[in-house]
Amino acid sequence: MSEASSSKGFGTRAIHAGQAPDPSTGAIMTPIFQSATFAQESPGVFKEDYDYSRASNPTRKALEKNLASLEGAEFGLCFASGVSAEAAVLHLLKTGDHVVLCDDVYGGTNRLFHRVFGQLGIEVTLVDMTDQDAFEAAFCENTKVVWLETPTNPTLKIIDIAKVSEEAHAKGAIVCVDNTFCSPYLQSPLALGADIVCHSTTKYMGGHSDVIGGALLMNDPDLHERLKFIQLSVGAVPGILDCFLLLRSTKTLHVRMQRHSENGMQLARWLEAHPNVERVLYPGLESHPQHALAREQMPNGFGGMITLYVKGGLAKAKSMLEKVQIFTIAESLGGVESLIEHPGIMTHASVPPDQREKLGISDSLVRLSVGIEDVEDLMADLDQSLS
Ligand code: P1T
């Protein structure tokens, strides 16, 4: 069962899509085809498209089909990391092309766009995509790609994917949505009009903080051909064991996302009432500026990412991070275990200070990746760390 058009439910596709029992042995789990190359019967005559694992590998192909099915895509391509998946899209561009980038993105994404591809003559305009007028004004004659995250990292703004896609298409640009914070269980950008979905599979897709990976999912055969050529030519492909681990992880994606969302909602409400917390940003809270849009765009839940401003500035934020016992201070997100980090010092340190200030990435900003532990224990941990 691998077709994107499959009428089966999300959980069934998560467990089965792309993964029929192995025809040679009946093995239920897709084997780890840990082979760099494949025997040919005669020069140029080989099985399916398996001539060399950078080009194609059966374990990777199963994962690509699985992820495509979950995103409602015809095609999937896997990469060695989230940023290498992003770079593959930017390799579609040539010198002088222009990208409209949402202003609040992962620090490494900002760095890749500006300091790697910027150096190659790709022009980038950062814009707040929740501001319709500013978004429209950001387009140039040479705009080829619109790139966004929603919810954004780390301030969790919600961007209207359907509206942005309509506007971008009218101006001849394609839209790529980084769906890492939601996973396909919570949000379906392709169904809303986006052309490409990007994932850091390191996060919710992997779910266990043991793999670095990335993926691109799309419906357009031409885009797929061009991106597959880049995948083959640049060669930032994932290791085969990592593909196996990801296949195992996506089988529980729907169950994990339900629990992340339940825990996230409960913790966000509780934090909002906490005397030592200035403000909580969580798309599921009525106080979130784009809450109504979030309800439409994320129909299955609001996920496990919470951002908060603590009272007492940097000293208080640091002491909170140092005191946690169940949460762990670490970069990354989306694993079953809860993590806490300080974006200004950690994940977004590479964003220039003036941009950080404009975005509200201040000294008192703390980001939580809420795991799937017992929520009462998480609450007690945050309570003692904030006191
Ligand atoms: O780390 P990597 O797999 O290369 O993924 C990069 C990436 C892409 N997109 C989003 C939305 C991300 O959050 C990330 C990585 N983010 C972190 C490591 C972090 O702690 O925010």
Side-chain angles (χ1 to χ4, degrees):
M1 198 193 78
S2 62
E3 303 77 24
S5 59
S6 165
S7 56
K8 301 286 186 294
F10 190 96
T12 308
R13 284 180 286 132
I15 293 165
H16 296 289
Q19 302 167 80
D22 178 50
S24 61
T25 61
I28 292 291
M29 297 307 298
T30 305
I32 304 165
F33 286 98
Q34 192 77 39
S35 185
T37 192
F38 302 88
Q40 305 198 6
E41 265 172 49
S42 134
V45 181
F46 43 85
K47 292 192 168 60
E48 298 192 28
D49 54 350
Y50 305 129
D51 61 341
Y52 188 57
S53 272
R54 173 157 42 76
S56 188
N57 173 284
T59 315
R60 190 175 94 212
K61 196 192 277 185
L63 176 63
E64 291 178 336
K65 286 186 172 171
N66 181 258
L67 299 186
S69 174
L70 294 182
E71 276 293 359
E74 284 296 325
F75 309 105
L77 295 168
C78 287
F79 293 84
S81 62
V83 289
S84 61
E86 295 174 23
V89 176
L90 295 179
H91 278 302
L92 292 170
L93 303 177
K94 55 184 190 321
T95 303
D97 285 344
H98 176 248
V99 178
V100 177
L101 176 63
C102 89
D103 57 357
D104 187 38
V105 287
Y106 166 56
T109 300
N110 185 314
R111 180 175 58 201
L112 176 75
F113 278 59
H114 283 98
R115 292 175 56 192
V116 178
F117 283 89
Q119 230 185 25
L120 300 174
I122 305 297
E123 295 166 19
V124 181
T125 301
L126 282 172
V127 67
D128 177 1
M129 293 192 189
T130 63
D131 177 341
Q132 179 72 13
D133 293 339
F135 176 58
E136 283 179 31
F139 280 83
C140 305
E141 289 266 290
N142 51 343
T143 303
K144 295 288 178 358
V145 171
V146 171
W147 187 288
L148 64 118
E149 292 176 9
T150 178
T152 64
N153 184 358
T155 64
L156 305 182
K157 288 189 281 193
I158 304 295
I159 295 165
D160 190 331
I161 298 171
K163 218 183 227 174
V164 163
S165 301
E166 206 180 300
E167 185 75 30
H169 292 157
K171 294 195 154 84
I174 62 166
V175 176
C176 184
V177 175
D178 184 330
N179 206 21
T180 298
F181 270 31
C182 280
S183 90
Y185 184 72
L186 299 184
Q187 180 169 268
S188 304
L190 296 177
L192 294 168
D195 301 282
I196 303 173
V197 166
C198 174
H199 278 284
S200 166
T201 53
T202 315
K203 311 298 181 320
Y204 287 106
M205 300 295 230
H208 298 75
S209 304
D210 52 7
V211 170
I212 296 281
L216 297 175
L217 301 314
M218 72 293 300
N219 280 319
D220 180 56
D222 177 54
L223 261 181
H224 172 243
E225 266 318 296
R226 289 160 65 204
L227 288 164
K228 192 169 168 51
F229 173 78
I230 291 164
Q231 182 197 43
L232 167 74
S233 307
V234 177
V237 291
I240 308 309
L241 178 61
D242 285 356
C243 293
F244 172 84
L245 287 171
L246 279 165
L247 276 171
R248 191 171 65 162
S249 293
T250 57
K251 288 182 192 295
T252 55
L253 180 64
H254 49 306
V255 183
R256 287 186 284 109
M257 292 315 295
Q258 285 163 12
R259 185 65 173 265
H260 282 296
S261 297
E262 280 168 26
N263 282 0
M265 193 71 231
Q266 279 198 56
L267 272 191
R269 279 207 198 291
W270 174 81
L271 282 165
E272 201 168 37
H274 198 285
N276 295 344
V277 173
E278 186 77 53
R279 187 175 176 208
V280 179
L281 299 171
Y282 183 72
L285 292 175
E286 291 77 10
S287 59
H288 187 286
Q290 294 93 33
H291 175 63
L293 174 60
R295 288 181 77 92
E296 269 176 46
Q297 205 165 260
M298 303 166 71
N300 291 336
F302 302 103
M305 299 305 295
I306 301 177
T307 299
L308 60 140
Y309 292 91
V310 294
K311 286 183 184 161
L314 183 61
K316 188 72 190 177
K318 268 193 172 167
S319 91
M320 180 188 182
L321 266 72
E322 285 162 3
K323 279 190 190 160
V324 288
Q325 289 169 0
I326 297 174
F327 279 81
T328 304
I329 313 180
E331 304 208 4
S332 203
L333 57 112
V336 290
E337 68 293 317
S338 294
L339 302 181
I340 186 166
E341 69 116 3
H342 188 279
I345 299 175
M346 297 168 67
T347 51
H348 292 68
S350 63
V351 177
D354 59 320
Q355 272 181 42
R356 283 209 302 266
E357 197 187 324
K358 218 173 124 199
L359 289 167
I361 305 176
S362 69
D363 283 349
S364 57
L365 189 78
V366 169
R367 192 188 75 182
L368 305 177
S369 170
V370 180
I372 63 170
E373 300 96 334
D374 293 286
V375 73
E376 297 76 17
D377 293 331
L378 298 179
M379 248 175 231
D381 192 29
L382 292 181
D383 200 27
Q384 64 80 24
S385 74
L386 278 164
S387 64

